[in-house]
Amino acid sequence: NKITAVAQGRYHSVALAADGTVYTWGYNYQGQLGNNSSGDESNKSTPVKVLKGAYSGTTYLGDDSDNKITAIAAGGNHSIALATDGTVYAWGRGSEGELGEGNSSNRDVPVKVQDGAYSGTTYLGDDSSNKITAVAAGFHHCIALATDGTIYAWGSNDEGQLGENSTTDRSTPVKVLEGAYSGTTYLGDNSSDKITAVAAGYSHSAALATDGTVYAWGRNDEGQLGNSSTDDSTIPVKVTGVGGSGYLDLVDVTAPSAPAG
C-alpha cells in the first residue's frame, strides 16, 4: 500500500495511498486534515486518515475499492480529492466558497462539490460521459478539468482567478470562459484542441491545451500570467514564448505547474 501522490498546502500536507485512502498532517485550525467529525481541529504532527464525510464508503475517504480516490490537491487551508467515478470532495476552509458546496462554511470532513455550471445531475463530475479527470487547488480557489476538455472553477475570485470575467467569489463551480483561446465560448470547448492539464497558483490559474499552448488568468502583478503584462485578467490570456517571442508551444512545455502558496 505505497503512497502514490502527495500535495502541500500552506501549513498542511496530504498523501494518497495505493488503496485509494488519504492521509493528512500539519495545521488543522480550519479542518483541512479532514479527520474529525466531532469538530476537533487540533494540529497533527503525524499522519491521520481522512474520514469519509459525504463519500459513500465505509469509514474513510477512498475506502471503497470500486471508487478509490485517484488524485489529491491542497490549497492554502483546504484540501480536495478526485474519486474514480469523477466526483470531487473537499474539506477545510470554506469562507470564500473553496469547498464548492454552495456556502461559506468550514468543514472538518469531506463534502461533495456541487455541479454548479457543470451539466451533470447534482454533483461536479457525476455525468459518466464527462467525468472530472484532474483537480488543482490555489490558495483559496479550486480548478477541475472535465473529460471534454472544459474547465470548472470555484472559490475566491478577487483577482479573476476563476476565469469567468468577474471578480465575484463563487461557492459552486463556474465554467472558465475562452478568452484568448480559439474555441466557441469556453476554454477547451474545441474538440480538436482540448485542455489536457490544469494548475492553480496563489491567485492565478493555468491550463495546457492539446496543441501545446498555455493559457493563464487571474493575478498578474508580478507577471505570473506570462503575457508580457502586469495587468490582472479575469479571462484566459495566452502565455508568450521564451523571451517574449510568439507563444509557448510543445517545444517549450509539456505541463503547467503553479504552486499554491
Side-chain angles (χ1 to χ4, degrees):
N1 192 29
K2 294 180 179 180
I3 296 301
T4 61
V6 292
Q8 186 176 21
R10 187 181 188 188
Y11 299 127
H12 76 289
S13 300
V14 186
L16 174 63
D19 68 358
T21 57
V22 182
Y23 297 83
T24 55
W25 61 97
Y27 189 62
N28 194 32
Y29 177 66
Q30 293 173 305
Q32 54 267 59
L33 301 190
N35 74 310
N36 204 310
S37 57
S38 66
D40 176 12
E41 294 182 340
S42 59
N43 300 338
K44 304 297 181 184
S45 59
T46 57
V48 295
K49 207 167 183 178
V50 176
L51 294 173
K52 67 171 187 172
Y55 172 81
S56 58
T58 304
T59 306
Y60 299 106
L61 181 66
D63 67 6
D64 177 357
S65 60
D66 292 326
N67 191 31
K68 294 180 180 180
I69 296 302
T70 61
I72 52 174
N77 293 308
H78 68 288
S79 309
I80 61 174
L82 173 64
T84 301
D85 67 1
T87 57
V88 181
Y89 296 84
W91 60 97
R93 185 181 189 269
S95 58
E96 292 177 89
E98 52 265 66
L99 303 189
E101 65 161 342
N103 59 46
S104 57
S105 300
N106 297 343
R107 300 297 182 188
D108 294 313
V109 295
V111 295
K112 208 167 183 178
V113 177
Q114 293 183 7
D115 57 354
Y118 172 80
S119 58
T121 305
T122 307
Y123 300 107
L124 182 66
D126 68 5
D127 177 356
S128 61
S129 65
N130 191 32
K131 294 181 179 180
I132 296 302
T133 61
V135 291
F139 198 66
H140 294 314
H141 75 289
C142 296
I143 303 174
L145 174 64
T147 302
D148 67 1
T150 57
I151 302 175
Y152 297 85
W154 62 97
S156 176
N157 195 30
D158 56 335
E159 292 171 289
Q161 56 265 53
L162 302 189
E164 60 149 354
N165 200 28
S166 85
T167 54
T168 302
D169 296 349
R170 302 295 182 185
S171 60
T172 58
V174 294
K175 207 167 182 178
V176 177
L177 294 172
E178 64 170 347
Y181 171 81
S182 58
T184 304
T185 307
Y186 300 105
L187 182 63
D189 67 6
N190 179 353
S191 61
S192 64
D193 190 26
K194 294 181 179 181
I195 297 300
T196 61
V198 292
Y202 188 97
S203 294
H204 69 291
S205 309
L208 172 66
T210 302
D211 69 359
T213 55
V214 180
Y215 298 86
W217 57 98
R219 182 175 176 174
N220 196 31
D221 60 329
E222 297 180 271
Q224 48 267 65
L225 302 189
N227 67 331
S228 300
S229 165
T230 54
D231 296 328
D232 296 349
S233 180
T234 59
I235 55 175
V237 297
K238 211 168 183 178
V239 176
T240 59
V242 175
S245 176
Y247 297 104
L248 276 181
D249 57 30
L250 283 173
V251 174
D252 302 313
V253 66
T254 56
S257 179

